[in-house]
Amino acid sequence: MPVGMTFETATRTLDRDAIVRFASEWDPQPFHLDDAAAEASPYGGLIASGFHTVLVAFNLVLASSDWSESSMGSPGLANVEWIKPVFVNDTLKVRVEVLSAKPSQSKPDRGFVELQYTIVNQHEAVVARYRGTL
């Protein structure tokens, strides 16, 4: 994965049922679960959890290529930013850029690749971004 390489994933639309189902188990805040509470919130409507947004992005990236040959997991994420809310029926995709690549100092058959993930909606607005190392 050369530095500067970019790719874009397929898309996924988050419907109301998916948003509420995820939030019910993992992020049970009123603006993720209840239409009336969400309308009265600063968001003006039901929104997806930021964690849901990042996990959808992660899944889209995994589906975009055969990572099974090279991925050994990740030592972590950095700079997770939730920039704009993701509303019911928003369609997301991810743009990925390779920021750095370096060989492992202790295991010469391996290396580390730092990636910038930018999640956009159907209007091309950036809704979230984060960095990850593989």
Side-chain angles (χ1 to χ4, degrees):
M1 298 184 92
V3 173
M5 180 181 114
T6 61
F7 65 92
E8 191 170 280
T9 69
T11 62
R12 179 160 172 206
T13 301
L14 295 182
D15 65 20
R16 184 186 183 287
D17 290 343
I19 289 171
V20 171
R21 190 171 47 251
F22 182 92
S24 294
E25 186 167 357
W26 300 106
D27 193 354
Q29 297 183 73
F31 45 83
H32 298 318
L33 295 170
D34 179 83
D35 291 306
E39 286 177 24
S41 78
Y43 307 110
L46 203 69
I47 62 168
S49 165
F51 294 104
H52 191 185
T53 301
V54 168
L55 286 169
V56 166
F58 178 74
N59 189 263
L60 286 169
V61 169
L62 286 179
S64 70
S65 180
D66 183 6
W67 296 84
S68 64
E69 294 286 324
S70 59
S71 178
M72 299 179 79
S74 173
L77 302 177
N79 302 341
V80 177
E81 300 174 84
W82 292 296
I83 299 162
K84 290 186 181 285
V86 173
F87 291 95
V88 171
N89 294 323
D90 274 357
T91 299
L92 305 178
K93 66 181 170 185
V94 187
R95 294 191 180 111
V96 183
E97 179 182 2
V98 178
L99 300 177
S100 67
K102 64 180 182 177
S104 169
Q105 293 181 3
S106 61
K107 297 179 177 125
D109 64 329
R110 301 172 195 181
F112 296 93
V113 178
E114 184 181 22
L115 303 170
Q116 176 69 51
Y117 302 87
T118 302
I119 308 162
V120 300
N121 66 16
Q122 69 275 13
H123 305 294
E124 298 296 318
V126 176
V127 298
R129 68 178 152 236
Y130 63 96
R131 289 183 181 199
T133 302
L134 296 174

